[in-house]
């Protein structure tokens, strides 16, 4: 009896990456009635220029990409007995409590990606981006199909990520760089 050849699952594709430089930052804020309460949403749109992509996709290098960071809260219309002033709305609840990465989109003119952030992370990043402190954004995503891929991580930094790795590699212990990552710890090896 002949032995059956087992098909092996193909290895998962490594994440694709893009590195972009920050060109401009715009902020908007919305508040309105929502169901039995009030909700608000803050959006920071970061316009960037794509510097490099891995694997290399030359048609996108040099194009613009917009990174949209969002934060949302909901306020109930409940009379809060602890609140001394009118109107006595309930305390605001941040939605969501953890980062939520959306998709990566590419077209002939460039691309976009977005994420919902917890309130503290959103306002800290927004301030650092507006001040010009954070100059680079590295995004990782699954291989795009028909122009869309899943966003798997975002890293914000003062210097390009490869410089961070070079500096960290020369030190015996892991080091913490000034920046913010949404895909994992800030420690580099």
């Amino acid at each position: 009896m002949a032995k059956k050849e087992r098909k092996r699952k193909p290895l998962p594709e490594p994440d694709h990456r893009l590195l972009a430089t920050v060109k401009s930052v715009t902020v908007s804020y919305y508040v309105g009635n929502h169901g039995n309460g009030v909700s608000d949403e803050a959006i920071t749109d970061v316009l960037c220029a794509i510097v490099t992509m891995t694997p290399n996709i030359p048609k996108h290098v040099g194009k613009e990409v917009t990174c949209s960071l969002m934060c949302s809260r909901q306020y109930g219309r409940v009379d809060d007995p602890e609140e001394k002033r009118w109107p006595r709305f309930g305390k605001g609840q941040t939605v969501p409590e953890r980062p939520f990465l959306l998709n990566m989109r590419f077209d002939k003119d460039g691309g976009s990606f977005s994420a919902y952030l917890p309130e503290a992370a959103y306002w800290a990043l927004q301030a650092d981006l507006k001040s010009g402190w954070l100059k680079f954004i590295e995004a990782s995503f699954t291989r795009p199909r028909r122009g869309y891929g899943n966003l798997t991580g975002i890293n914000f930094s003062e210097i390009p990520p490869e410089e961070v790795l070079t500096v960290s590699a020369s030190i015996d212990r892991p080091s913490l760089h000034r920046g913010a990552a949404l895909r994992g710890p800030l420690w580099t090896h």
Side-chain angles (χ1 to χ4, degrees):
M1 191 168 189
K3 226 180 187 181
K4 274 190 171 179
E5 191 74 24
R6 286 178 68 177
K7 283 191 175 182
R8 292 184 182 209
K9 278 186 170 179
L11 293 174
E13 283 189 52
D15 277 351
H16 289 231
R17 296 187 184 278
L18 72 77
L19 176 65
T21 57
V22 175
K23 292 173 67 175
S24 66
V25 179
T26 57
V27 179
S28 62
Y29 179 79
Y30 166 81
V31 63
N33 290 329
H34 178 77
N36 289 334
V38 176
S39 66
D40 69 356
E41 183 172 65
I43 302 172
T44 299
D45 287 324
V46 185
L47 182 64
C48 303
I50 299 173
V51 177
T52 61
M53 292 186 75
T54 306
N56 189 22
I57 306 173
K59 69 181 180 182
H60 294 303
V61 174
K63 300 269 175 99
E64 291 182 341
V65 64
T66 301
C67 170
S68 295
L69 304 173
M70 297 167 277
C71 174
S72 180
R73 293 177 294 191
Q74 294 178 346
Y75 301 89
R77 285 194 187 261
V78 184
D79 248 357
D80 185 352
E82 293 178 20
E83 185 64 48
K84 303 296 181 216
R85 293 185 281 168
W86 185 260
R88 297 189 301 191
F89 287 115
K91 302 287 185 241
Q93 297 294 321
T94 304
V95 180
E97 292 293 324
R98 61 188 174 100
F100 182 73
L101 302 173
L102 298 168
N103 61 8
M104 171 71 77
R105 180 193 59 78
F106 288 105
D107 61 24
K108 63 182 169 103
D109 299 320
S112 65
F113 56 96
S114 53
Y116 270 92
L117 304 178
E119 188 175 5
Y122 171 83
W123 292 109
L125 279 171
Q126 188 251 21
D128 284 349
L129 287 162
K130 287 289 286 178
S131 72
W133 192 272
L134 298 174
K135 297 175 180 82
F136 296 93
I137 298 178
E138 181 184 30
S140 54
F141 51 97
T142 60
R143 179 178 165 210
R145 301 202 193 302
R146 295 191 173 131
Y148 288 88
N150 291 324
L151 186 62
T152 59
I154 308 173
N155 184 53
F156 302 88
S157 62
E158 298 172 9
I159 59 176
E162 58 273 3
E163 289 182 31
V164 171
L165 292 175
T166 304
V167 170
S168 298
S170 65
I171 301 173
D172 290 345
R173 58 184 175 73
S175 64
L176 182 64
H177 69 86
R178 177 150 171 79
L182 294 179
R183 70 171 182 272
L186 289 169
W187 295 98
T188 56
H189 303 280

